[in-house]
Every structure is written in structure tokens, then in C-alpha cells.
Amino acid sequence: MNAIKNAIRDIPDFPKKGIVFKDITPLLNQPKLFQKVVDIFYSRYEGDRIQKVIGIESRGFILGSVLAYRLEAGFSIVRKTGKLPYKTIKKSYDLEYGTDHLEMHEDSIEADDRVLIVDDLLATGGTCNATIQLVEELKGKVVGCAFLIELSFLKGREKLKNYDVFSIVQYA
Ligand code: AMP
């Protein structure tokens, strides 16, 4: 766990003053650590019959797609507004540093699909909460929400209290 934490770089005042951005690119760059992260996620969810992994733009795409491959699940994406080409459903959400909208293709989930949501980092929980609403609008069942990093002091977990939330490393 220390090796994973040591490979996450703090970038102060990015993208705004007062935010300490957790940069996971040094971790992704190290094959054993990248593999370790995916293995930890895999062992947490391998028995859960996940049918769709949802990756949240953009670092959720990196972790989520590899995990989907290992879980033999489909992979769907949630993106910021205006980037998806087909018919979408949309939700607004609050970020640690702003407000935005998220979209998902309306055919990315089938009713009763067992869904795992993946992102690199849980901060206030607004992004994941909006993603849960999108999944549920399409009648998917959210089995879990998985994060590499949890900023515990922002209490995002409380916003997601009705769901199974898992994170690999935490910052208090
Ligand atoms: P939130 O909706 O507040 O939980 O924010 C989570 C989303 O914003 C994730 O997609 C993260 O990648 C990104 N994010 C928020 N805060 C940070 C941070 N301090 N460092 C890196 N990414 C962040």
C-alpha cells in the first residue's frame, strides 16, 4: 500500500488554487504497481457477477477498461457534456472544483445489468452520485463503486451511503 501511495504525486494548486491534485500517472507508469492496483480491484469483485463496468472520464477509463477485461464484463463510459456522439441521458453534478454535467449513451446499460462504477478518486462524491443516477435511470443495478484513491476528509462516502464503496488508498 505504501508503494502505491508513494507513486501518487501531489500537485499543489492544480487545476485551481487550494486543490491538491492527486496525479496517478507515475503509478500507471510502473508496470508492477499498475498490475497490483488492477489485481486488488479484481479480487474484490471477481465473485460479484459484474456485467458492466462504468468508467468515469477520464482516469476512470484507464482503470475501468482493464478491470472490465479481467472481469469479462462490458465497458461503458460516462463523459462530460457534448463528447458522446449517440443519444444520451444527462445529469448535473458538483465537483470539488466546480459544477458540470455528465452524460451516458442511453443504450450503454440494459435493465438489471449488474454494474460496477470505477474512477481514480473519490472526493466529495458528486461525480459518482450523478453516475449512479444515470445508471439507475437506465435501470441498472449498482453493485459497487470502486476508487483507487479516497480523500476521506471530504466525506464523499456519506453521499454514497446506500452503496458499497471501496477504495485502495485513503487520505485522512
Ligand atoms: P468528486 O465528485 O468531488 O468526488 O470528484 C471526483 C472527480 O474529480 C474524479 O473524477 C476525480 O478524478 C476528480 N478529482 C477531484 N478532486 C481531485 C483531486 N484532488 N485530485 C485528482 N482528481 C480529483
Side-chain angles (χ1 to χ4, degrees):
M1 241 22 110
N2 273 347
I4 291 175
K5 267 198 170 175
N6 288 339
I8 297 169
R9 177 162 57 196
D10 279 357
I11 311 282
D13 298 324
F14 183 88
K16 269 191 180 173
K17 201 158 177 51
I19 301 290
V20 179
F21 190 87
K22 297 288 184 193
D23 177 17
I24 65 166
T25 60
L27 185 154
L28 299 174
N29 239 327
Q30 298 180 54
K32 290 285 175 226
L33 288 181
F34 187 9
Q35 220 168 29
K36 182 78 194 158
V37 162
V38 178
D39 288 349
I40 293 170
F41 281 140
Y42 177 72
S43 38
R44 177 72 174 66
Y45 296 105
E46 63 177 326
D48 283 342
R49 294 177 289 113
I50 304 296
Q51 291 162 296
K52 291 275 165 65
V53 174
I54 308 290
I56 300 177
E57 184 170 0
S58 58
R59 291 171 300 274
F61 296 171
I62 301 166
L63 301 172
S65 61
V66 182
L67 182 59
Y69 176 84
R70 284 213 61 194
L71 289 171
E72 298 182 51
F75 182 62
S76 302
I77 60 180
V78 165
R79 300 204 67 178
K80 313 276 164 61
T81 332
K83 300 207 175 153
L84 288 172
Y86 186 59
K87 292 180 212 154
T88 61
I89 58 167
K90 191 190 284 198
K91 281 279 174 289
S92 65
Y93 70 109
D94 294 324
L95 256 187
E96 190 189 358
Y97 40 80
T99 306
D100 218 333
H101 292 84
L102 289 179
E103 286 186 333
M104 187 177 224
H105 275 156
E106 64 176 26
D107 63 352
S108 46
I109 288 172
E110 285 173 42
D112 301 326
D113 267 352
R114 293 174 61 78
V115 171
L116 174 66
I117 296 171
V118 177
D119 203 356
D120 66 327
L121 184 144
L122 173 64
T124 66
T127 311
C128 187
N129 195 39
T131 302
I132 289 171
Q133 289 177 49
L134 289 170
V135 170
E136 291 185 343
E137 197 173 319
L138 295 175
K139 306 207 179 329
K141 177 173 174 19
V142 177
V143 175
C145 307
F147 305 90
L148 168 54
I149 302 166
E150 177 175 359
L151 303 183
S152 315
F153 59 92
L154 291 173
K155 303 192 191 314
R157 193 176 272 273
E158 287 177 12
K159 202 172 271 167
L160 311 174
K161 63 178 182 304
N162 297 324
Y163 298 88
D164 183 81
V165 174
F166 171 72
S167 60
I168 297 179
V169 296
Q170 299 79 29
Y171 295 85

